[in-house]
Amino acid sequence: MALLTVKNLKLGYEGKTVAEGLNFTVNSGDYLCIVGVNGSGKTTLMKTILHLNPPISGKIETGEGLKSSEIGYLPQQTEIQRDFPASVWEIVLSGNLGHGGLRPFYTKEEKAAAKRNIEKMGITDLTKRCYRELSGGQQQRVLLARALCATSKMLLLDEPVSGLDPTVTAEMYDLIYGLNKEGITVIMISHDIKAALKYATHILQIGKDNFFGTKEEYLKSGAAEQFNEKGEESV
């Protein structure tokens, strides 16, 4: 059974439909890139998968025992969030909050997971640093470590390289690809069509004509031709 199955999904907010007719499946180990022009509903879809937004209609089903609390999420950052006055350790550790309900403490195992994921992201030397003092690339590594504390199954990443320079962008893509090769299923929103076609196993394109399939099928379909190199709709 698929980890995630979406059937005839219609999305929107405040009474406005932003996307409809979405049908796709995500199996364990997949790397799905979600592409589409600005305003096409990519972030709304991600929030709906996480039960942060209700669907207008259609179904989202999970399999293999996957719970919404077991999905790691790296959202787009706002300027206020970038200035958050907490330590790296506190932020990464908070990724375990979904596991513990209302209890006011972290377990030994949760602290060990935070330490392990900090090491995995190569930011051990930043553990005691204040988050808002870090570079954009360092902050994204912190947030990715936090997301990993929530899951060993699935990561949802909303534009994880937005605003990063080319070198740091390449490093972040390599980190995410490595996590996928270790067995974590990845669903990533991206404006970078070239990166999507390099790393993804499957592509979901949201827009006037929705597309879902393998990246090989995507290339054959010609669906990507409506985008330029910046991921913007070609005129």
Side-chain angles (χ1 to χ4, degrees):
M1 185 178 181
L3 272 181
L4 186 73
T5 303
V6 172
K7 298 179 180 178
N8 299 316
L9 194 64
K10 186 176 183 179
L11 305 172
Y13 52 88
E14 298 178 355
K16 177 185 176 182
T17 299
V18 296
E20 57 187 322
L22 298 179
N23 293 276
F24 64 94
T25 58
V26 181
N27 293 309
S28 181
D30 282 354
Y31 190 142
L32 172 68
C33 272
I34 304 172
V35 300
V37 298
N38 289 334
S40 59
K42 302 184 296 295
T43 296
T44 303
L45 170 59
M46 200 162 271
K47 289 182 177 180
T48 304
I49 291 172
L50 291 163
H51 302 298
L52 300 175
N53 280 355
I56 294 174
S57 61
K59 292 183 178 180
I60 298 176
E61 301 172 348
T62 56
E64 298 187 21
L66 179 68
K67 302 175 183 176
S68 58
S69 61
E70 295 176 317
I71 300 175
Y73 178 42
L74 197 163
Q76 290 189 53
Q77 279 204 92
T78 64
E79 286 302 319
I80 292 175
Q81 290 167 332
R82 290 190 181 95
D83 199 38
F84 195 63
S87 72
V88 167
W89 174 249
E90 290 169 329
I91 289 176
V92 175
L93 194 57
S94 71
N96 293 292
L97 285 173
H99 303 154
L102 298 176
R103 58 178 166 79
F105 61 89
Y106 294 104
T107 66
K108 180 179 178 181
E109 291 77 14
E110 288 169 343
K111 291 177 181 178
K115 183 175 184 293
R116 183 170 61 251
N117 288 319
I118 284 172
E119 291 172 352
K120 186 186 288 284
M121 291 298 102
I123 52 174
T124 301
D125 58 327
L126 304 177
T127 302
K128 296 181 181 180
R129 291 275 301 278
C130 182
Y131 178 76
R132 64 184 177 189
E133 297 173 354
L134 305 180
S135 69
Q138 289 170 332
Q139 287 187 345
Q140 288 299 82
R141 285 176 181 254
V142 172
L143 295 180
L144 192 50
R146 180 185 187 275
L148 287 169
C149 284
T151 189
S152 60
K153 295 181 179 180
M154 180 180 285
L155 281 174
L156 269 58
L157 311 172
D158 192 348
E159 294 286 356
V161 301
S162 179
L164 303 182
D165 67 47
T167 299
V168 178
T169 291
E171 291 173 354
M172 184 61 63
Y173 278 138
D174 285 342
L175 276 174
I176 295 166
Y177 184 68
L179 293 171
N180 177 245
K181 288 298 151 188
E182 290 175 10
I184 294 179
T185 303
V186 173
I187 301 177
M188 182 175 74
I189 293 173
S190 178
H191 278 103
D192 189 340
I193 301 298
K194 286 185 177 180
L197 293 174
K198 178 179 179 180
Y199 295 104
T201 60
H202 295 74
I203 304 290
L204 172 66
Q205 181 169 300
I206 305 176
K208 297 174 184 176
D209 298 305
N210 298 325
F211 173 91
F212 171 70
T214 66
K215 66 179 176 183
E216 291 81 12
E217 291 169 339
Y218 184 64
L219 286 168
K220 290 178 181 178
S221 74
E225 293 175 4
Q226 68 174 287
F227 297 102
N228 59 28
E229 290 186 357
K230 295 181 180 179
E232 299 166 340
E233 193 167 19
S234 300
V235 178

